[in-house]
């Protein structure tokens, strides 16, 4: 369930600045002062709105810049938007391999992503009491401060996305329409 929620939050925040700001408020809560029950955090109650550049001088969302970079260098959007039901698993794998290789290369170039912990998966580890749910997530039932590592997590150490230099009217374009001359 948490992985599905994480993907939904990621892609929702990617395309909606207002929602991204609301998620940031929730994720920036100090765990020491946060409620200890399992009720969801209360978000500010205001309607979601799609944000679009309003003038030629408007800037571009970093999320769109990252998507445009992954599309340009690895054709990621083409792969994930393709109707895969018409292809065999072998064909999908053959198409995905170069895309994923290029995505990894592109991500390594524009940011440094590292594991949160160096503890090996399956090993027992102590979770610091001061750690919040954004850094450590408990799975299953039980109590205490030790558990078996299921996934080491990821965090970004450096981000160097290209600067947007286009017009505000094109700020949301991930990939241009390509037309061959006849």
């Amino acid at each position: 369930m948490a992985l599905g929620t994480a993907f939904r939050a990621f892609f929702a925040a990617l395309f909606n600045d207002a929602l991204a700001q609301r998620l940031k408020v929730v994720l920036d809560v100090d765990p020491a002062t946060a409620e200890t029950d399992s009720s969801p955090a209360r978000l500010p109650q205001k309607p979601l709105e799609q944000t679009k550049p309003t003038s030629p001088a408007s800037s571009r969302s970093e999320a769109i810049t990252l998507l445009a970079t992954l599309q340009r260098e690895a054709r990621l959007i083409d792969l994930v938007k393709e109707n895969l039901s018409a292809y065999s698993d072998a064909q999908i794998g053959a198409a995905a391999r170069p895309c994923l290789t290029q995505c990894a290369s592109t991500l390594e170039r524009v940011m440094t992503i590292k594991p949160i912990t160096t503890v090996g998966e399956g090993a027992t580890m102590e979770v610091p009491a001061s750690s919040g749910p954004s850094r450590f997530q408990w799975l299953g039932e039980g109590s205490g401060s030790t558990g078996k590592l299921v996934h080491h997590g990821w965090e970004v150490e450096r981000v160097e996305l290209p600067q947007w230099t286009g017009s505000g009217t094109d700020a949301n374009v991930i990939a241009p329409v390509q037309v061959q001359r006849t």
Side-chain angles (χ1 to χ4, degrees):
M1 182 175 122
L3 182 60
T5 302
F7 276 121
R8 285 182 58 212
F10 172 76
F11 285 106
L14 200 60
F15 298 108
N16 187 318
D17 288 338
L19 181 59
Q21 289 303 316
R22 292 174 64 195
L23 285 169
K24 184 178 183 332
V25 169
V26 172
L27 295 175
D28 288 346
V29 170
D30 181 5
T33 60
E35 296 177 17
T36 56
D37 67 11
S38 60
S39 64
R42 300 287 178 233
L43 293 173
Q45 295 301 314
K46 68 182 217 181
L48 296 178
E49 52 191 64
Q50 292 292 343
T51 57
K52 296 213 180 256
T54 57
S55 72
S58 294
S59 63
R60 177 188 229 183
S61 159
E62 288 183 341
I64 293 174
T65 298
L66 179 59
L67 276 178
T69 303
L70 289 170
Q71 171 61 21
R72 182 180 62 248
E73 298 183 22
R75 300 192 64 103
L76 175 65
I77 305 304
D78 290 344
L79 179 66
V80 299
K81 297 297 275 181
E82 181 71 30
N83 178 1
L84 301 178
S85 64
Y87 302 102
S88 70
D89 288 349
Q91 289 171 314
I92 294 168
R97 182 181 306 276
C99 178
L100 293 172
T101 300
Q102 281 302 113
C103 282
S105 174
T106 301
L107 287 174
E108 286 175 14
R109 185 175 52 77
V110 300
M111 61 183 59
T112 302
I113 302 172
K114 66 175 194 155
I116 293 175
T117 182
T118 57
V119 174
E121 291 184 4
T124 300
M125 70 173 293
E126 179 82 20
V127 175
S130 62
S131 298
S134 295
R135 185 163 289 272
F136 289 92
Q137 178 185 37
W138 288 106
L139 304 175
E141 302 296 322
S143 61
S145 61
T146 60
K148 181 177 83 170
L149 181 68
V150 176
H151 186 272
H152 53 67
W154 296 106
E155 67 181 333
V156 174
E157 198 171 60
R158 168 194 65 86
V159 176
E160 293 178 11
L161 288 173
Q163 289 296 318
W164 171 249
T165 58
S167 72
T169 58
D170 294 335
N172 288 338
V173 173
I174 295 171
V177 175
Q178 295 178 334
V179 181
Q180 184 171 354
R181 294 185 192 270
T182 56

